[in-house]
Amino acid sequence: MNPVPLSDASSKLSDGQRMKPTPEKNSLWYERVGGTYLWAKCYDRSKECFLAAKDLPNCSWRTSQGLAKAYAEDNIRLALQEVEIALATLRTKQDRDDDERASLVENLPISATWQKELGNITDAIHRLKEAVKHDKQYYGSHNDLINLCSRTGRQSEALDFLKELNDQPGSIDISKTELESMFVAFASLDSALDSFETIFRVVQHDDMLEVVLRTLQESLMILQDRKAGDVPTLLHLCHGVVLAHYSTVEKGLEVAVEQWTKCCELGMTSNSRDASWISRKAAVYLFNYHFSKARGISNASDEPQDHASTLVDLTNKINALYKDNDFMYVGVNAGGLRLSLGSFYSLTSSTEKAQKLLLNDMRSGLDLLSDDDPDTDSWGYFIVANVLIHAGDELNALSAWSLRGPKKRYAKERDVPNFPMNARSEDGGETVEEGQTIIAGSHNSGLETAEQENIELAGLNCQGRGRGGFTYGDSIWFCKVCEDVQFDHACLKKVQNGTIERFICSRDHEFLRVPSWIEEL
């Protein structure tokens, strides 16, 4: 028998039947129907059924759990109230079955998330600490707790938590510490690099730094012994980052380079998508290291020419990896490290080399602009602008960027607006030429209009994560070396003074300021 479509089934229920329970239908019936509506994203109908279930005897905690998810679409406060009711019931159960234990672990972080959204940081931390007691396999709550404490100025709580884990025997392997078990688990997370960077920021100025670094090394050895697929490759990447950015050990940067080199080698000999992505990431770190050396900035005793040759070799290897693996994400601009190598050529007065290297990438952008699909023009202008930025042609790069604007600009077929030649910095001090290349940043202006908050997103994000996505009302600082790295003014300053939280870009890179759009309303 074919199942009755949900829409047909719901149409047979009158308003009274949906709102009021009948003797033939108990709380479980309404709970199950509410769950079906919730699965189908019919949130109002779902709420009706769950509320009807709550009016009947023997109502399960699952009703409040489902109602919380339905409320979460438009009312976090009511959602939090319902999930707390479910949690209160689950806490009182002495002999929880597997489903109840799983629901407790699931709902505590959900409650923490909603508490955080409502500004109840202390309550959110309490829920995560409670979740940690029950979450002994995945360690997701451990990760959320460390991140939340770190980002809300409670580093001392995060540090104490890490010390507690180091003093506890592992829940999976008692011969290891719980900290080591957590590190092994974190190595499999998509956010592994962010997680380890957060941990090392927390312990950076404490004696715990040496313990955490040693534990990371031991975790890497465990994963290598297990032959855990691509996971050791990712941990090599993380190990290099923490050595280069957070550790004060002697020759930490040199060891980091060894780790990234190992990442590249592992990725280039693997058919795995993840290993290839990790290899690509490690290659960017290696490129920035050798870029600084090749320009004679980091150490005058090194032979810059040797490092320049390494840049070329690294670029060729990564480009070959892109070519050999059709699953690799090439993006909307030049694949591999060609843009970065082109930038090195342009910054070392080898403009012709840069233009020759990036010629095909420029053609790709122009092809998009000359096809019959107007929807691809925005990407075409972006590619052209990005190639020109790295080729050292700043004036034409700004011209190309000015042709990539909000969609309504194309709809109204307006002329390209004239950008002001000068703009005052945020602190009211000196002015900066539009498109000026500097090492220290300028201001991050917005549209000079009362409707600034309604301006379109530009499809770019600040890589310093100091804000959300850029709009066409923001001025953006593009790195002239890294392939796809942009900052707002505040994060650019942090890059330049070495206080940026993420290990990204380099303080010796140069940047181009692309001005905001000025709309005439």
Side-chain angles (χ1 to χ4, degrees), residues 468-507:
F470 285 115
T471 71
Y472 286 105
D474 299 310
S475 60
I476 307 171
W477 287 99
F478 282 78
C479 179
K480 294 175 62 178
V481 180
C482 298
E483 180 178 346
D484 187 19
V485 172
Q486 307 88 32
F487 298 106
D488 63 10
H489 173 68
C491 285
L492 178 66
K493 279 189 170 181
K494 292 177 181 178
V495 171
Q496 300 303 328
N497 61 28
T499 60
I500 191 78
E501 286 192 350
R502 299 185 68 201
F503 184 64
I504 189 169
C505 201
S506 178
R507 62 198 308 173

mmCIF file of all heavy atoms in Angstrom, residues 468-507:
data_model
loop_
_atom_site.group_PDB
_atom_site.id
_atom_site.type_symbol
_atom_site.label_atom_id
_atom_site.label_comp_id
_atom_site.label_asym_id
_atom_site.label_seq_id
_atom_site.Cartn_x
_atom_site.Cartn_y
_atom_site.Cartn_z
ATOM 1 N N GLY A 468 31.407 39.016 9.679
ATOM 2 C CA GLY A 468 30.758 38.108 8.745
ATOM 3 C C GLY A 468 31.183 38.421 7.323
ATOM 4 O O GLY A 468 32.277 38.922 7.069
ATOM 5 N N GLY A 469 30.300 38.143 6.369
ATOM 6 C CA GLY A 469 30.633 38.370 4.977
ATOM 7 C C GLY A 469 30.695 39.852 4.635
ATOM 8 O O GLY A 469 29.991 40.677 5.217
ATOM 9 N N PHE A 470 31.542 40.173 3.663
ATOM 10 C CA PHE A 470 31.630 41.550 3.182
ATOM 11 C C PHE A 470 30.402 41.889 2.345
ATOM 12 O O PHE A 470 29.834 41.035 1.662
ATOM 13 C CB PHE A 470 32.873 41.726 2.296
ATOM 14 C CG PHE A 470 34.159 41.785 3.053
ATOM 15 C CD1 PHE A 470 35.115 40.793 2.898
ATOM 16 C CD2 PHE A 470 34.435 42.840 3.916
ATOM 17 C CE1 PHE A 470 36.320 40.844 3.572
ATOM 18 C CE2 PHE A 470 35.630 42.894 4.605
ATOM 19 C CZ PHE A 470 36.574 41.899 4.434
ATOM 20 N N THR A 471 30.002 43.150 2.383
ATOM 21 C CA THR A 471 28.988 43.658 1.479
ATOM 22 C C THR A 471 29.657 44.630 0.516
ATOM 23 O O THR A 471 30.830 44.977 0.674
ATOM 24 C CB THR A 471 27.877 44.406 2.231
ATOM 25 O OG1 THR A 471 28.392 45.662 2.731
ATOM 26 C CG2 THR A 471 27.345 43.584 3.407
ATOM 27 N N TYR A 472 28.909 45.072 -0.472
ATOM 28 C CA TYR A 472 29.459 46.069 -1.387
ATOM 29 C C TYR A 472 29.586 47.434 -0.700
ATOM 30 O O TYR A 472 30.078 48.378 -1.294
ATOM 31 C CB TYR A 472 28.583 46.175 -2.633
ATOM 32 C CG TYR A 472 28.755 45.003 -3.555
ATOM 33 C CD1 TYR A 472 27.779 44.005 -3.639
ATOM 34 C CD2 TYR A 472 29.896 44.863 -4.323
ATOM 35 C CE1 TYR A 472 27.945 42.909 -4.475
ATOM 36 C CE2 TYR A 472 30.075 43.773 -5.161
ATOM 37 C CZ TYR A 472 29.093 42.800 -5.231
ATOM 38 O OH TYR A 472 29.263 41.719 -6.055
ATOM 39 N N GLY A 473 29.135 47.508 0.548
ATOM 40 C CA GLY A 473 29.309 48.726 1.323
ATOM 41 C C GLY A 473 30.593 48.755 2.117
ATOM 42 O O GLY A 473 30.863 49.718 2.829
ATOM 43 N N ASP A 474 31.415 47.714 2.005
ATOM 44 C CA ASP A 474 32.673 47.638 2.748
ATOM 45 C C ASP A 474 33.858 47.828 1.812
ATOM 46 O O ASP A 474 33.834 47.370 0.672
ATOM 47 C CB ASP A 474 32.824 46.265 3.417
ATOM 48 C CG ASP A 474 31.716 45.977 4.406
ATOM 49 O OD1 ASP A 474 31.455 46.844 5.251
ATOM 50 O OD2 ASP A 474 31.122 44.885 4.316
ATOM 51 N N SER A 475 34.878 48.471 2.308
ATOM 52 C CA SER A 475 36.153 48.429 1.591
ATOM 53 C C SER A 475 36.896 47.180 2.056
ATOM 54 O O SER A 475 36.762 46.744 3.197
ATOM 55 C CB SER A 475 36.983 49.679 1.864
ATOM 56 O OG SER A 475 37.268 49.811 3.235
ATOM 57 N N ILE A 476 37.654 46.584 1.158
ATOM 58 C CA ILE A 476 38.254 45.280 1.404
ATOM 59 C C ILE A 476 39.740 45.344 1.099
ATOM 60 O O ILE A 476 40.153 45.908 0.083
ATOM 61 C CB ILE A 476 37.599 44.193 0.522
ATOM 62 C CG1 ILE A 476 36.074 44.210 0.701
ATOM 63 C CG2 ILE A 476 38.157 42.815 0.846
ATOM 64 C CD1 ILE A 476 35.337 43.309 -0.287
ATOM 65 N N TRP A 477 40.537 44.742 1.972
ATOM 66 C CA TRP A 477 41.975 44.648 1.746
ATOM 67 C C TRP A 477 42.292 43.270 1.182
ATOM 68 O O TRP A 477 42.112 42.257 1.839
ATOM 69 C CB TRP A 477 42.732 44.882 3.047
ATOM 70 C CG TRP A 477 42.713 46.307 3.479
ATOM 71 C CD1 TRP A 477 41.891 46.877 4.407
ATOM 72 C CD2 TRP A 477 43.563 47.349 3.008
ATOM 73 N NE1 TRP A 477 42.158 48.212 4.534
ATOM 74 C CE2 TRP A 477 43.188 48.542 3.686
ATOM 75 C CE3 TRP A 477 44.582 47.410 2.068
ATOM 76 C CZ2 TRP A 477 43.809 49.755 3.454
ATOM 77 C CZ3 TRP A 477 45.208 48.632 1.848
ATOM 78 C CH2 TRP A 477 44.828 49.785 2.534
ATOM 79 N N PHE A 478 42.765 43.229 -0.067
ATOM 80 C CA PHE A 478 43.144 41.981 -0.725
ATOM 81 C C PHE A 478 44.631 41.749 -0.555
ATOM 82 O O PHE A 478 45.442 42.646 -0.831
ATOM 83 C CB PHE A 478 42.832 42.055 -2.222
ATOM 84 C CG PHE A 478 41.384 41.852 -2.567
ATOM 85 C CD1 PHE A 478 40.471 42.873 -2.401
ATOM 86 C CD2 PHE A 478 40.949 40.631 -3.041
ATOM 87 C CE1 PHE A 478 39.137 42.692 -2.716
ATOM 88 C CE2 PHE A 478 39.617 40.427 -3.365
ATOM 89 C CZ PHE A 478 38.707 41.457 -3.195
ATOM 90 N N CYS A 479 44.995 40.519 -0.129
ATOM 91 C CA CYS A 479 46.406 40.173 -0.096
ATOM 92 C C CYS A 479 46.891 40.013 -1.531
ATOM 93 O O CYS A 479 46.248 39.361 -2.350
ATOM 94 C CB CYS A 479 46.629 38.870 0.675
ATOM 95 S SG CYS A 479 48.378 38.374 0.727
ATOM 96 N N LYS A 480 48.039 40.606 -1.831
ATOM 97 C CA LYS A 480 48.590 40.543 -3.181
ATOM 98 C C LYS A 480 49.438 39.297 -3.405
ATOM 99 O O LYS A 480 49.956 39.087 -4.505
ATOM 100 C CB LYS A 480 49.438 41.796 -3.459
ATOM 101 C CG LYS A 480 48.619 43.077 -3.498
ATOM 102 C CD LYS A 480 49.497 44.301 -3.652
ATOM 103 C CE LYS A 480 50.275 44.288 -4.948
ATOM 104 N NZ LYS A 480 51.085 45.508 -5.118
ATOM 105 N N VAL A 481 49.571 38.468 -2.364
ATOM 106 C CA VAL A 481 50.369 37.243 -2.474
ATOM 107 C C VAL A 481 49.489 36.007 -2.341
ATOM 108 O O VAL A 481 49.503 35.126 -3.207
ATOM 109 C CB VAL A 481 51.500 37.214 -1.431
ATOM 110 C CG1 VAL A 481 52.318 35.934 -1.556
ATOM 111 C CG2 VAL A 481 52.392 38.442 -1.572
ATOM 112 N N CYS A 482 48.727 35.902 -1.263
ATOM 113 C CA CYS A 482 47.871 34.734 -1.046
ATOM 114 C C CYS A 482 46.784 34.678 -2.120
ATOM 115 O O CYS A 482 46.359 35.703 -2.652
ATOM 116 C CB CYS A 482 47.242 34.787 0.341
ATOM 117 S SG CYS A 482 48.443 34.754 1.692
ATOM 118 N N GLU A 483 46.334 33.487 -2.382
ATOM 119 C CA GLU A 483 45.422 33.292 -3.516
ATOM 120 C C GLU A 483 44.035 33.870 -3.288
ATOM 121 O O GLU A 483 43.445 34.470 -4.166
ATOM 122 C CB GLU A 483 45.295 31.802 -3.831
ATOM 123 C CG GLU A 483 44.383 31.516 -4.993
ATOM 124 C CD GLU A 483 44.305 30.041 -5.328
ATOM 125 O OE1 GLU A 483 45.151 29.272 -4.846
ATOM 126 O OE2 GLU A 483 43.404 29.662 -6.074
ATOM 127 N N ASP A 484 43.459 33.671 -2.146
ATOM 128 C CA ASP A 484 42.073 34.091 -1.925
ATOM 129 C C ASP A 484 41.921 34.553 -0.480
ATOM 130 O O ASP A 484 41.178 33.971 0.302
ATOM 131 C CB ASP A 484 41.125 32.934 -2.236
ATOM 132 C CG ASP A 484 39.662 33.360 -2.189
ATOM 133 O OD1 ASP A 484 39.401 34.566 -2.283
ATOM 134 O OD2 ASP A 484 38.788 32.478 -2.046
ATOM 135 N N VAL A 485 42.631 35.602 -0.133
ATOM 136 C CA VAL A 485 42.642 36.092 1.249
ATOM 137 C C VAL A 485 42.305 37.574 1.260
ATOM 138 O O VAL A 485 42.966 38.373 0.601
ATOM 139 C CB VAL A 485 44.011 35.843 1.915
ATOM 140 C CG1 VAL A 485 44.083 36.533 3.268
ATOM 141 C CG2 VAL A 485 44.260 34.349 2.063
ATOM 142 N N GLN A 486 41.263 37.914 2.032
ATOM 143 C CA GLN A 486 40.855 39.308 2.183
ATOM 144 C C GLN A 486 40.657 39.611 3.671
ATOM 145 O O GLN A 486 40.316 38.715 4.445
ATOM 146 C CB GLN A 486 39.541 39.583 1.440
ATOM 147 C CG GLN A 486 39.522 39.168 -0.018
ATOM 148 C CD GLN A 486 39.090 37.723 -0.206
ATOM 149 O OE1 GLN A 486 38.282 37.192 0.548
ATOM 150 N NE2 GLN A 486 39.624 37.074 -1.229
ATOM 151 N N PHE A 487 40.852 40.860 4.041
ATOM 152 C CA PHE A 487 40.671 41.280 5.429
ATOM 153 C C PHE A 487 39.899 42.594 5.478
ATOM 154 O O PHE A 487 39.934 43.389 4.525
ATOM 155 C CB PHE A 487 42.024 41.497 6.125
ATOM 156 C CG PHE A 487 42.883 40.268 6.222
ATOM 157 C CD1 PHE A 487 43.995 40.118 5.406
ATOM 158 C CD2 PHE A 487 42.579 39.256 7.117
ATOM 159 C CE1 PHE A 487 44.801 38.994 5.486
ATOM 160 C CE2 PHE A 487 43.372 38.124 7.208
ATOM 161 C CZ PHE A 487 44.487 37.991 6.396
ATOM 162 N N ASP A 488 39.244 42.817 6.612
ATOM 163 C CA ASP A 488 38.760 44.163 6.886
ATOM 164 C C ASP A 488 39.896 44.936 7.567
ATOM 165 O O ASP A 488 40.981 44.389 7.802
ATOM 166 C CB ASP A 488 37.485 44.146 7.740
ATOM 167 C CG ASP A 488 37.682 43.534 9.125
ATOM 168 O OD1 ASP A 488 38.850 43.278 9.516
ATOM 169 O OD2 ASP A 488 36.681 43.313 9.827
ATOM 170 N N HIS A 489 39.655 46.202 7.866
ATOM 171 C CA HIS A 489 40.730 47.041 8.387
ATOM 172 C C HIS A 489 41.265 46.522 9.720
ATOM 173 O O HIS A 489 42.481 46.458 9.939
ATOM 174 C CB HIS A 489 40.215 48.473 8.556
ATOM 175 C CG HIS A 489 41.169 49.391 9.241
ATOM 176 N ND1 HIS A 489 42.354 49.784 8.659
ATOM 177 C CD2 HIS A 489 41.135 49.976 10.467
ATOM 178 C CE1 HIS A 489 42.997 50.590 9.493
ATOM 179 N NE2 HIS A 489 42.282 50.711 10.589
ATOM 180 N N ALA A 490 40.339 46.114 10.612
ATOM 181 C CA ALA A 490 40.764 45.680 11.950
ATOM 182 C C ALA A 490 41.632 44.427 11.880
ATOM 183 O O ALA A 490 42.668 44.328 12.551
ATOM 184 C CB ALA A 490 39.539 45.441 12.825
ATOM 185 N N CYS A 491 41.217 43.463 11.060
ATOM 186 C CA CYS A 491 41.991 42.224 10.970
ATOM 187 C C CYS A 491 43.310 42.440 10.237
ATOM 188 O O CYS A 491 44.307 41.781 10.541
ATOM 189 C CB CYS A 491 41.167 41.138 10.284
ATOM 190 S SG CYS A 491 39.877 40.440 11.348
ATOM 191 N N LEU A 492 43.327 43.369 9.285
ATOM 192 C CA LEU A 492 44.589 43.667 8.608
ATOM 193 C C LEU A 492 45.622 44.187 9.603
ATOM 194 O O LEU A 492 46.796 43.808 9.563
ATOM 195 C CB LEU A 492 44.372 44.684 7.492
ATOM 196 C CG LEU A 492 45.638 45.105 6.748
ATOM 197 C CD1 LEU A 492 46.217 43.939 5.969
ATOM 198 C CD2 LEU A 492 45.380 46.288 5.840
ATOM 199 N N LYS A 493 45.178 45.046 10.510
ATOM 200 C CA LYS A 493 46.093 45.553 11.535
ATOM 201 C C LYS A 493 46.670 44.405 12.367
ATOM 202 O O LYS A 493 47.853 44.410 12.716
ATOM 203 C CB LYS A 493 45.363 46.545 12.446
ATOM 204 C CG LYS A 493 45.248 47.950 11.875
ATOM 205 C CD LYS A 493 44.710 48.899 12.945
ATOM 206 C CE LYS A 493 44.804 50.353 12.491
ATOM 207 N NZ LYS A 493 44.295 51.280 13.531
ATOM 208 N N LYS A 494 45.817 43.435 12.676
ATOM 209 C CA LYS A 494 46.279 42.310 13.478
ATOM 210 C C LYS A 494 47.298 41.468 12.702
ATOM 211 O O LYS A 494 48.248 40.944 13.286
ATOM 212 C CB LYS A 494 45.095 41.435 13.897
ATOM 213 C CG LYS A 494 44.158 42.123 14.887
ATOM 214 C CD LYS A 494 42.971 41.228 15.216
ATOM 215 C CE LYS A 494 42.008 41.914 16.181
ATOM 216 N NZ LYS A 494 40.834 41.056 16.470
ATOM 217 N N VAL A 495 47.090 41.325 11.405
ATOM 218 C CA VAL A 495 48.064 40.600 10.587
ATOM 219 C C VAL A 495 49.410 41.308 10.654
ATOM 220 O O VAL A 495 50.462 40.682 10.823
ATOM 221 C CB VAL A 495 47.582 40.509 9.124
ATOM 222 C CG1 VAL A 495 48.691 39.957 8.226
ATOM 223 C CG2 VAL A 495 46.353 39.608 9.022
ATOM 224 N N GLN A 496 49.365 42.625 10.541
ATOM 225 C CA GLN A 496 50.606 43.399 10.466
ATOM 226 C C GLN A 496 51.368 43.435 11.799
ATOM 227 O O GLN A 496 52.598 43.495 11.797
ATOM 228 C CB GLN A 496 50.299 44.834 10.014
ATOM 229 C CG GLN A 496 49.630 44.914 8.641
ATOM 230 C CD GLN A 496 50.456 44.252 7.560
ATOM 231 O OE1 GLN A 496 51.674 44.250 7.612
ATOM 232 N NE2 GLN A 496 49.804 43.672 6.562
ATOM 233 N N ASN A 497 50.637 43.408 12.919
ATOM 234 C CA ASN A 497 51.349 43.437 14.208
ATOM 235 C C ASN A 497 51.496 42.047 14.831
ATOM 236 O O ASN A 497 51.947 41.911 15.972
ATOM 237 C CB ASN A 497 50.664 44.405 15.188
ATOM 238 C CG ASN A 497 49.227 44.020 15.508
ATOM 239 O OD1 ASN A 497 48.866 42.857 15.467
ATOM 240 N ND2 ASN A 497 48.399 45.014 15.817
ATOM 241 N N GLY A 498 51.091 41.013 14.086
ATOM 242 C CA GLY A 498 51.306 39.641 14.546
ATOM 243 C C GLY A 498 50.345 39.160 15.604
ATOM 244 O O GLY A 498 50.636 38.180 16.295
ATOM 245 N N THR A 499 49.174 39.805 15.741
ATOM 246 C CA THR A 499 48.211 39.400 16.767
ATOM 247 C C THR A 499 46.980 38.705 16.191
ATOM 248 O O THR A 499 46.042 38.425 16.928
ATOM 249 C CB THR A 499 47.761 40.616 17.598
ATOM 250 O OG1 THR A 499 47.141 41.574 16.725
ATOM 251 C CG2 THR A 499 48.934 41.255 18.318
ATOM 252 N N ILE A 500 46.984 38.426 14.880
ATOM 253 C CA ILE A 500 45.839 37.735 14.282
ATOM 254 C C ILE A 500 45.732 36.337 14.887
ATOM 255 O O ILE A 500 46.731 35.655 15.109
ATOM 256 C CB ILE A 500 46.000 37.650 12.739
ATOM 257 C CG1 ILE A 500 44.708 37.183 12.082
ATOM 258 C CG2 ILE A 500 47.160 36.765 12.349
ATOM 259 C CD1 ILE A 500 43.675 38.238 11.967
ATOM 260 N N GLU A 501 44.526 35.922 15.220
ATOM 261 C CA GLU A 501 44.351 34.637 15.901
ATOM 262 C C GLU A 501 44.682 33.467 14.992
ATOM 263 O O GLU A 501 45.338 32.511 15.394
ATOM 264 C CB GLU A 501 42.912 34.515 16.419
ATOM 265 C CG GLU A 501 42.631 35.374 17.637
ATOM 266 C CD GLU A 501 41.317 35.015 18.296
ATOM 267 O OE1 GLU A 501 40.547 34.233 17.707
ATOM 268 O OE2 GLU A 501 41.056 35.513 19.406
ATOM 269 N N ARG A 502 44.221 33.520 13.767
ATOM 270 C CA ARG A 502 44.460 32.416 12.845
ATOM 271 C C ARG A 502 45.872 32.490 12.284
ATOM 272 O O ARG A 502 46.448 33.559 12.150
ATOM 273 C CB ARG A 502 43.471 32.470 11.686
ATOM 274 C CG ARG A 502 42.028 32.351 12.064
ATOM 275 C CD ARG A 502 41.189 32.306 10.802
ATOM 276 N NE ARG A 502 41.414 31.072 10.045
ATOM 277 C CZ ARG A 502 41.138 30.955 8.743
ATOM 278 N NH1 ARG A 502 40.675 31.977 8.065
ATOM 279 N NH2 ARG A 502 41.359 29.810 8.125
ATOM 280 N N PHE A 503 46.402 31.332 11.940
ATOM 281 C CA PHE A 503 47.691 31.286 11.255
ATOM 282 C C PHE A 503 47.404 31.393 9.765
ATOM 283 O O PHE A 503 47.108 30.400 9.089
ATOM 284 C CB PHE A 503 48.428 29.990 11.584
ATOM 285 C CG PHE A 503 49.811 29.928 10.993
ATOM 286 C CD1 PHE A 503 50.792 30.820 11.394
ATOM 287 C CD2 PHE A 503 50.128 28.989 10.024
ATOM 288 C CE1 PHE A 503 52.074 30.778 10.856
ATOM 289 C CE2 PHE A 503 51.403 28.925 9.480
ATOM 290 C CZ PHE A 503 52.374 29.831 9.899
ATOM 291 N N ILE A 504 47.460 32.607 9.267
ATOM 292 C CA ILE A 504 47.072 32.841 7.883
ATOM 293 C C ILE A 504 47.837 34.036 7.349
ATOM 294 O O ILE A 504 48.200 34.951 8.109
ATOM 295 C CB ILE A 504 45.549 33.092 7.783
ATOM 296 C CG1 ILE A 504 45.096 33.127 6.313
ATOM 297 C CG2 ILE A 504 45.136 34.369 8.497
ATOM 298 C CD1 ILE A 504 43.595 33.108 6.142
ATOM 299 N N CYS A 505 48.134 34.012 6.050
ATOM 300 C CA CYS A 505 48.808 35.121 5.393
ATOM 301 C C CYS A 505 50.182 35.350 6.039
ATOM 302 O O CYS A 505 50.759 34.444 6.641
ATOM 303 C CB CYS A 505 47.929 36.372 5.450
ATOM 304 S SG CYS A 505 48.316 37.630 4.229
ATOM 305 N N SER A 506 50.721 36.556 5.923
ATOM 306 C CA SER A 506 52.022 36.856 6.516
ATOM 307 C C SER A 506 52.167 38.365 6.654
ATOM 308 O O SER A 506 51.693 39.130 5.811
ATOM 309 C CB SER A 506 53.152 36.301 5.651
ATOM 310 O OG SER A 506 54.412 36.624 6.194
ATOM 311 N N ARG A 507 52.841 38.777 7.691
ATOM 312 C CA ARG A 507 52.973 40.208 7.949
ATOM 313 C C ARG A 507 53.854 40.907 6.919
ATOM 314 O O ARG A 507 53.829 42.143 6.834
ATOM 315 C CB ARG A 507 53.500 40.435 9.367
ATOM 316 C CG ARG A 507 54.879 39.863 9.616
ATOM 317 C CD ARG A 507 55.166 39.724 11.103
ATOM 318 N NE ARG A 507 54.931 40.943 11.841
ATOM 319 C CZ ARG A 507 54.976 41.028 13.175
ATOM 320 N NH1 ARG A 507 55.218 39.935 13.891
ATOM 321 N NH2 ARG A 507 54.767 42.166 13.784
#
